[in-house]
Amino acid sequence: MFVQSTLPLDIVLWLQSLENWFFDLFFNAVSFLGEEYFYIAVIGLVYWTLNKRFGEFLGITLGASITFNNVAKEFFESPRPFTESSEVINKRPGTSSGHSMPSGHVQGSSTFFFSIAFFSKVKGLLITSIIITILMMLSRMYLGVHYIQDVVAGAVIGITIAVVMYYFFDKYKENEQQLHRFYFIIAAIFLPAFIFLMTSASANDFFKGYAILIGFIAGVIFEKRYVKFTIDIPYSKKVIRYVLGLISMILVLTVFGQLFGLIIQGNEGVVKNLFDFVRYFLVAFVGFGAYPWVFKRFNF
């Protein structure tokens, strides 16, 4: 007779037994490094003010990782620790929707930080990426939202995606046509999931991730064809560009979220999935395409 190991649950319970105010604060802060507002702030800073190519690589690589993660979650349909044991406390309920395997926070953050390390080729950033990934794995278990197999899988997949995406980005960096074809292939790979998961309420995070990927791709191509902004501007203008950009992105995310919420009126499935797809597509496209057109048009 097969007996399921209790080790994954025991690890979560042991970590939560260490509970104190410092660990609560620290691990919630670490978890934030794998969430949308952090990504918006960093990618916006890089793309608008520091290095367009770097920002393009980060945005599309992260979009591909998030999309893959949510397809994998629908495949495994794994429960979270706090749903299986009343002893586990969910310490971050706002970031624990959907299924558990693999961890989206660990996968997204490992993809993100390793992508930064690969692109910059700075050894210290590679070490930093390893440390942040380990801390993110611990944080998601301490917060009661993932088992050890979820965070290990997230780390392995996240780093693998960073490696693969960097290989092709570096290979095609001098050939825009080939690079864009590579982007289209990535988008096409996930298209069947867009169709088959349309009616699934539990797959809502997939539509957000896929929208981000498509929005980034569309925004990048739009910018290269019709905008072609430069980062060779005074520091003061970079500050204005960044601050107004963050405000714009957050407004698009929150205002459309409130507006669509009123329209949807609690409906799940197809309607919510489509509206969230549109909302997150707009966030990504505005950031990479529409907003650059604005700041070039008004010279800031």
Side-chain angles (χ1 to χ4, degrees):
M1 179 178 178
F2 175 75
V3 178
Q4 185 175 1
S5 172
T6 62
L7 180 60
L9 178 60
D10 292 340
I11 293 173
V12 173
L13 291 174
W14 177 76
L15 284 169
Q16 292 206 325
S17 73
L18 304 175
E19 178 186 18
N20 59 58
W21 69 268
F22 175 78
F23 281 162
D24 282 356
L25 181 65
F26 178 74
F27 284 125
N28 271 286
V30 171
S31 186
F32 179 73
L33 300 181
E35 296 171 13
E36 58 190 19
Y37 287 108
F38 174 76
Y39 293 139
I40 288 173
V42 177
I43 293 175
L45 177 67
V46 174
Y47 186 66
W48 301 324
T49 69
L50 299 178
N51 187 319
K52 287 171 64 176
R53 297 289 283 177
F54 193 3
E56 173 185 344
F57 170 63
L58 284 180
I60 292 178
T61 300
L62 180 64
S65 184
I66 293 172
T67 305
F68 182 90
N69 176 263
N70 287 293
V71 172
K73 283 185 174 182
E74 289 302 304
F75 176 80
F76 289 110
E77 295 186 324
S78 300
R80 293 181 182 269
F82 62 85
T83 65
E84 292 197 305
S85 172
S86 59
E87 296 180 78
V88 177
I89 302 170
N90 181 356
K91 292 177 173 289
R92 202 165 177 82
T95 64
S96 55
S97 61
H99 305 301
S100 191
M101 164 76 84
S103 167
H105 277 65
V106 174
Q107 183 178 323
S109 63
S110 60
T111 295
F112 190 70
F113 286 102
F114 275 89
S115 293
I116 291 174
F118 295 152
F119 190 96
S120 64
K121 297 181 174 65
V122 176
K123 184 178 180 180
L125 289 177
L126 184 61
I127 295 172
T128 301
S129 301
I130 294 171
I131 293 171
I132 291 176
T133 298
I134 293 172
L135 289 176
M136 186 66 73
M137 294 167 70
L138 291 172
S139 78
R140 298 305 284 173
M141 291 188 288
Y142 174 85
L143 295 171
V145 295
H146 283 293
Y147 291 114
I148 188 168
Q149 63 266 29
D150 305 332
V151 298
V152 170
V156 171
I157 295 171
I159 295 169
T160 300
I161 289 175
V163 170
V164 172
M165 291 295 289
Y166 179 71
Y167 170 80
F168 284 103
F169 190 87
D170 188 60
K171 181 179 180 180
Y172 298 136
K173 64 184 178 183
E174 303 300 331
N175 188 328
E176 294 287 358
Q177 186 176 4
Q178 284 287 88
L179 185 61
H180 294 169
R181 185 176 292 119
F182 173 60
Y183 293 162
F184 291 143
I185 290 172
I186 295 172
I189 288 173
F190 295 113
L191 186 58
F194 180 88
I195 297 170
F196 291 118
L197 296 176
M198 182 65 71
T199 60
S200 172
S202 66
N204 183 254
D205 286 339
F206 162 77
F207 290 89
K208 294 177 182 178
Y210 193 48
I212 290 170
L213 174 63
I214 299 300
F216 277 148
I217 293 173
V220 162
I221 294 174
F222 175 83
E223 191 283 327
K224 289 177 181 178
R225 290 183 179 178
Y226 304 111
V227 182
K228 299 178 182 178
F229 74 89
T230 178
I231 60 171
D232 295 324
I233 57 174
Y235 177 78
S236 58
K237 286 189 175 183
K238 288 187 177 184
V239 172
I240 295 171
R241 179 184 289 185
Y242 180 61
V243 172
L244 291 181
L246 283 185
I247 293 172
S248 300
M249 297 278 281
I250 292 171
L251 281 176
V252 171
L253 186 63
T254 56
V255 171
F256 277 95
Q258 293 295 322
L259 178 63
F260 290 169
L262 292 174
I263 297 172
I264 293 170
Q265 292 293 328
N267 289 326
E268 299 292 332
V270 176
V271 176
K272 181 172 175 53
N273 289 339
L274 285 176
F275 273 91
D276 276 335
F277 179 85
V278 171
R279 178 162 69 110
Y280 279 81
F281 171 85
L282 288 173
V283 171
F285 182 78
V286 165
F288 270 43
Y291 178 61
W293 180 87
V294 171
F295 64 63
K296 183 180 180 183
R297 173 69 176 78
F298 293 97
N299 191 31
F300 66 88

